[in-house]
Amino acid sequence: MVVERFHETADFLRSKGVAKPATGIILGTGLGKLVDQMDVHLTLDYKDIPHFPVSTVEFHHGKLIYGELEGKKVLGMRGRFHYYEGYTLQEVTFPVRVMKLLGIQRLLISNAGGAMNPAFVNGSLMMLDDHINLFPGSPLIGKNHDALGPRFPDMSEPYSRELRDRLARIASSHAINLNRGVYAGVPGPNLETPAEYRYLRRIGADVVGMSTIPEVIVANHMGLPCVAISVITDECDPDNLKPIVLEEVLKMAAIGEDDLIVLFRELVREL
Ligand code: HPA
């Protein structure tokens, strides 16, 4: 990790007109439609941003989008970098470092996930109250840069209580069913075996997915409040497990996406 790179990328984005975004938003798999509600000032392909990770393995179609949502300046990532694509955890979290240097005061994250909790149905939402990191490491391994955050960052409140309270209130005032629970983050890209889903449930996870935790660790390292929502795309009952098809995952993401958009939009509006 080279701190100068974060600054160089932030300077580049400022030179393109990115000025003091208040909120950063990461939109997960099949969850990019929130961008349609933005007044977009600037769109950049990740591949055109200096120091953004480039994969030799898989072409990435992600875009960084700067503009206004409900009159508030936001910096959005449409698509993220995943560990399973071959990026290191430092590369996966590079954009979060840059967004913080650009001045965001909070980070909103979405992802697609499978539910071990039998009460969570496909297409519904779960707000993360907590998580279990099952990635093989932490993005903070290596030399610590004290200017960015402490060597041993506290993780006693990984997801901001204030932002969660606000989302819960917004959900109830819009009659949106917002489940709450614990997210387990796994490297992927393979899905889980029945025994693995059983194990994840036993260790206290309600939902499992292949993202989010590295970004949340880095956000906490920098003292950046965050909040995250999973859209449930498959029901993971180990005793009745059906093969998971990507098309089905995307279809369920699209079903949950409308509620997700309302929650994030209203949260941005009141902040
Ligand atoms: N497991 C891991 N990641 C996922 C799943 C799952 O069942 N569904 C969507 N992302």
Side-chain angles (χ1 to χ4, degrees):
M1 176 168 65
V2 190
V3 181
E4 293 73 48
R5 290 174 163 239
F6 304 135
H7 286 284
E8 282 167 17
T9 304
D11 288 345
F12 168 83
L13 292 170
R14 275 189 212 100
S15 79
K16 292 279 174 191
V18 175
K20 294 224 179 326
T23 301
I25 306 180
I26 302 177
L27 298 170
T29 307
L31 299 169
K33 232 170 60 183
L34 178 66
V35 171
D36 298 344
Q37 310 222 348
M38 281 174 63
D39 178 11
V40 176
H41 300 340
L42 176 73
T43 301
L44 287 168
D45 284 347
Y46 293 158
K47 66 173 169 46
D48 298 327
I49 303 174
H51 305 314
F52 257 50
V54 222
S55 175
T56 49
V57 187
E58 196 168 312
F59 185 71
H60 211 285
H61 298 280
K63 285 183 182 5
L64 190 72
I65 294 150
Y66 171 67
E68 282 175 39
L69 180 63
E70 297 289 327
K72 307 289 171 74
K73 291 197 174 109
V74 302
L75 190 55
M77 293 179 67
R78 186 170 196 160
R80 55 152 61 82
F81 299 99
H82 291 95
Y83 181 72
Y84 64 72
E85 292 171 280
Y87 303 106
T88 65
L89 292 170
Q90 278 90 357
E91 288 172 327
V92 163
T93 52
F94 184 88
V96 179
R97 298 280 192 199
V98 172
M99 287 199 278
K100 174 68 164 63
L101 289 181
L102 286 167
I104 63 164
Q105 291 153 45
R106 64 199 69 90
L107 180 63
L108 281 40
I109 302 176
S110 65
N111 61 50
M116 286 79 66
N117 186 327
F120 298 177
V121 298
N122 283 341
S124 71
L125 305 180
M126 183 192 85
M127 174 163 71
L128 280 64
D129 279 325
D130 205 340
H131 73 219
I132 301 171
N133 180 19
L134 297 175
F135 286 86
S138 160
L140 306 182
I141 285 172
K143 177 174 157 53
N144 187 59
H145 293 276
D146 298 338
L148 298 176
R151 171 75 288 188
F152 300 108
D154 177 64
M155 288 293 280
S156 59
E157 191 188 310
Y159 301 88
S160 156
R161 176 165 298 282
E162 192 217 321
L163 295 176
R164 283 182 290 141
D165 286 350
R166 284 179 184 273
L167 276 180
R169 202 176 14 78
I170 293 166
S172 71
S173 70
H174 285 78
I176 291 170
N177 172 29
L178 184 61
N179 300 298
R180 303 177 69 145
V182 174
Y183 176 94
V186 296
N190 54 286
L191 290 127
E192 287 69 32
T193 66
E196 287 166 343
Y197 284 125
R198 204 171 284 120
Y199 159 80
L200 291 169
R201 184 81 186 122
R202 284 221 185 127
I203 63 171
D206 298 286
V207 165
V208 59
M210 303 175 195
S211 69
T212 302
I213 290 183
E215 290 116 316
V216 169
I217 291 175
V218 161
N220 275 268
H221 180 241
M222 297 184 294
L224 178 65
C226 51
V227 76
I229 295 179
S230 295
V231 178
I232 309 304
T233 56
D234 49 292
E235 292 164 10
C236 311
D237 172 4
D239 300 315
N240 186 26
L241 197 60
K242 299 176 192 72
I244 293 171
V245 201
L246 182 66
E247 287 69 35
E248 199 61 21
V249 167
L250 294 177
K251 198 171 110 194
M252 290 304 157
I255 289 175
E257 188 174 21
D258 292 338
D259 285 345
L260 174 76
I261 287 173
V262 173
L263 294 176
F264 277 4
R265 190 189 64 210
E266 292 303 306
L267 182 59
V268 165
R269 194 167 62 83
E270 68 177 46
L271 287 169

